[in-house]
Structures are given as structure tokens and as C-alpha cells.
Amino acid sequence: MSVSVSTFGKLPSGEEVLRYTITNASGASVSLLNYGAIWQTMFVPNHKGELIDVVLGYDTVEDYLKNHMFLGATVGRVANRIKNARFTLNGKEYKLAANNGTSCLHGGNVGFDKKLWKAETDSDSVIFTLTSPDGDEGFPGELSVAVVYSLSEDNALSIRYLLNSDADTIQNMTNHAYFNLAGQGADSVLEQTLWVDANRTTRVDKDVLPTGEIASVFGTPLDFTKPKPIGKDIAAKAELIDFLGGFDHNFVLNHKEGEMAKIATAYDPKGGVAMDVYTDQPGVQLFTPPDFTYMTGKSGVQYGKYPAFCLETQHFANAMDNPSFPSIVLHAGEVFSSETVYHFRVEK
């Protein structure tokens, strides 16, 4: 196992953006940026033994600065949407940036995806740290954050989140990687299969905000309790799939919150690459961007329609307005810890 560091570019401020690459004995590797603590590449073998890059991304800092879709980014303080860009905590209302219609999305105008993080390396890990000051994007409390990426010899990438605050606040962090298990320059993911260990979903309205209702997936296009092609029901006129142009839905995972469990498996039948996802989080957001034809990715690849899928492990959106949802409150002095693992393998 080795960790190397190289210069990736510079921000307009002149600050240097560095790329950290962890490589295991078999040659599989992950590259990470200290800008946005971004997951930039993931090279894993397919059934031919070829190393292919299975996450979408860019080759330059400039493209990431223009990145409106959070490719590979660490998202915080609060992932997903907060209705009316406000929340009440301990009887006090906090107003946030309305950067997605009337909602606050993925932490506001300058979320963690747009921050330059500090970084340290270990034998198989990169540790990114960030201090978000009290009032940052409207959120209370000085929040200390560590995100630890670790690669194993059997091609599993672990992402650990460690947070604490000097005052009560809210948090819901995730990683926004876009996966194409045939390779980031391949055709659409519609024939790739997906299984999600979730019998229920948080129903959403046309603003992609939870209504508060927890609904069964059985008998709906959101039923991934048995593996099926991602594209099988992607044009369904139900559960707002037609309105959204695909999936953008949170699944209520079956395992007990806080316990690590396998919650999803995606598989590319052509190249044989499978990805198992493990997490201790209560939910996962399946997102299938319908059209990235305006994007040029790594190595000059022109992305197309349905070029990837996201599996963003998380707490539920707009949790502060829905007290029945798992709490996203982080109390002063507490340490929040969570882990998600993406394990890549070849299915024979």
C-alpha cells in the first residue's frame, strides 16, 4: 500500500490544490483532492483484469470550480434539502441560504464541497480536517470535522466522518460520488443492476422535500428489494419519477440505525464489476442524473444521458421539520461518528 501526493492546480486565491492517491498491492487506487475533500478517481479491475475508473469527475481545478453537481464532493454541514432555508433549534430560528429554489441544498452557497481542507496521510489513508466557524452559512456552533478515506487490499474504500461542536447544531454529511461501474466514459447505467435493502421510502413532493410520510416501496417503481436494472422503471409515471426525470429518492434502510450493514449492491453485467455498500446511516439517496451531455469529464470524456448513479448514505432530508425522522442534532461536546464503505469486486 502506498500514498502519493501531487499538485492538481491552484484556486483563484493562489492556494494550491493537492491530489492524494492511495494504491494497493493489486494496483487498484483512489485519488482524492483537498479541495472539497473530493473523491476524484477510483480505479478497480473488471473481469478482464483491466483497471477502470468508475467515478465521474474532472481533470482540472477550474472544472471543479464550475461543478454545479457536486461530483465526488464531501457535502456538509447538512446534505440534501432544508425546507424554506430555515430551521429551529432550542427555540431559536436560524436562516440559511436559499440556493435551491426556496430550499437550502447541501450546506448552502459555500458548503464543505467548496472549502480547502487540511490533509494528512497514513499508510493506507488520507485524513481531511476542517473547522467550520460559528455562523458559517448560517449554522450555529464551531464545528470540527474529520473525513478519513481508507483503501483496503481487497478494494474497499472506507469513508469515516467524525464531528464535534462547541454548541448545539445540526449535521448530515455524505459523499456525492457518481458511479458508472462500466467506467466513467462508458454508456448509460440503465442496464446496471441495483439492490437496496429498504422496504420503505420517505415520500417527497415536487420540490423533492419529504412530506413526512414513510411509504412502502412494494408494488412501486422504487422497489429495489430484489436486484433489477436501474433503467427498468426509470420512466415510470409514479412517485414523481417522471417529474424528476429519474430517481432522486431517499430509502429508509432496514437495518438498525448505528449498526454497520450491507445496504446495497450495484452490478455491471458487461464488465463484471460489482459494488457493495455498507453503512451505519439510516438512509441512502438514490440519484440518477438524467442528462450530463453538457459535461466534459476526465480524459475529455463527453458524459451523456443517465451516465451514473449516486448512493448517498445519509440521515433524511428536512429532518428538523419531521420529528419522527432520525435526529440530525449534534449537541455541544458530543462526537458524531459514522462510516460508509464502498467495496468493489468482480462478480464471476
Side-chain angles (χ1 to χ4, degrees):
M1 193 78 71
S2 65
V3 183
S4 62
V5 186
S6 59
T7 299
F8 189 72
K10 288 186 176 181
L11 297 174
S13 63
E15 295 171 291
E16 193 171 38
V17 176
L18 299 176
R19 178 167 63 181
Y20 298 79
T21 301
I22 312 170
T23 306
N24 67 19
S26 66
S29 68
V30 57
S31 290
L32 312 155
L33 306 179
N34 62 339
Y35 176 73
I38 284 171
W39 182 0
Q40 194 235 351
T41 71
M42 188 76 216
F43 282 92
V44 295
N46 61 14
H47 69 91
K48 296 180 180 179
E50 302 165 332
L51 290 172
I52 59 170
D53 185 2
V54 295
V55 299
L56 275 60
Y58 298 112
D59 283 328
T60 69
V61 171
E62 291 74 20
D63 282 330
Y64 278 109
L65 291 173
K66 294 183 292 186
N67 176 12
H68 301 298
M69 296 300 290
F70 304 93
L71 268 64
T74 295
V75 177
R77 291 188 186 190
V78 176
N80 222 309
R81 293 165 178 82
I82 299 175
K83 187 176 182 178
N84 294 325
R86 35 95 10 236
F87 68 95
T88 299
L89 178 64
N90 298 333
K92 181 179 178 180
E93 183 174 272
Y94 295 89
K95 295 183 179 179
L96 312 171
N99 62 333
N100 184 253
T102 59
S103 298
C104 179
L105 176 68
H106 291 338
N109 289 326
V110 187
F112 292 174
D113 61 295
K114 299 177 181 65
K115 307 276 192 181
L116 193 66
W117 296 60
K118 294 180 180 179
E120 298 179 9
T121 62
D122 201 348
S123 59
D124 62 355
S125 305
V126 180
I127 305 100
F128 294 103
T129 56
L130 180 72
T131 300
S132 176
D134 179 36
D136 189 13
E137 288 296 312
F139 293 98
E142 181 178 277
L143 186 72
S144 298
V145 185
V147 178
V148 183
Y149 290 89
S150 303
L151 181 65
S152 71
E153 292 292 2
D154 66 344
N155 304 340
L157 183 73
S158 163
I159 309 176
R160 290 188 62 206
Y161 304 89
L162 298 164
L163 301 92
N164 67 81
S165 175
D166 66 357
D168 289 358
T169 190
I170 62 173
Q171 68 79 31
N172 183 18
M173 292 184 61
T174 193
N175 184 279
H176 212 305
Y178 289 77
F179 301 103
N180 187 325
L181 299 182
Q184 63 104 24
D187 292 334
S188 85
V189 297
L190 296 182
E191 294 182 10
Q192 295 176 26
T193 63
L194 178 65
W195 163 80
V196 180
D197 187 26
N199 297 345
R200 299 175 298 160
T201 181
T202 49
R203 183 155 278 160
V204 293
D205 61 21
K206 288 189 176 183
D207 294 318
V208 205
L209 285 159
T211 64
E213 179 185 0
I214 304 292
S216 171
V217 301
F218 295 117
T220 80
L222 298 179
D223 186 354
F224 285 91
T225 56
K226 294 180 180 178
K228 68 177 181 181
I230 291 171
K232 181 179 179 181
D233 296 315
I234 207 163
K237 298 184 183 302
E239 303 294 337
L240 293 180
I241 294 168
D242 53 332
F243 177 80
L244 297 169
F247 299 107
D248 195 0
H249 297 77
N250 172 65
F251 291 83
V252 179
L253 297 170
N254 289 337
H255 72 94
K256 184 178 179 181
E257 181 185 353
E259 291 184 356
M260 198 72 171
K262 183 163 78 168
I263 59 96
T265 296
Y267 171 61
D268 172 41
K270 292 182 179 178
V273 176
M275 179 181 75
D276 299 316
V277 184
Y278 301 78
T279 194
D280 51 19
Q281 291 274 50
V284 64
Q285 188 90 6
L286 170 63
F287 177 48
T288 54
D291 192 352
F292 273 3
T293 54
Y294 61 91
M295 281 191 189
T296 301
K298 290 172 288 188
S299 302
V301 168
Q302 193 72 38
Y303 296 142
K305 293 184 177 180
Y306 297 108
F309 62 90
C310 301
L311 289 171
E312 305 158 63
T313 58
Q314 59 172 8
H315 278 56
F316 308 162
N318 203 38
M320 296 301 287
D321 282 349
N322 293 281
S324 64
F325 289 0
S327 175
I328 62 170
V329 174
L330 176 65
H331 294 289
E334 289 182 346
V335 175
F336 175 84
S337 175
S338 180
E339 183 179 18
T340 294
V341 175
Y342 298 91
H343 182 207
F344 299 91
R345 56 186 175 80
V346 174
E347 191 161 295
K348 303 296 184 181

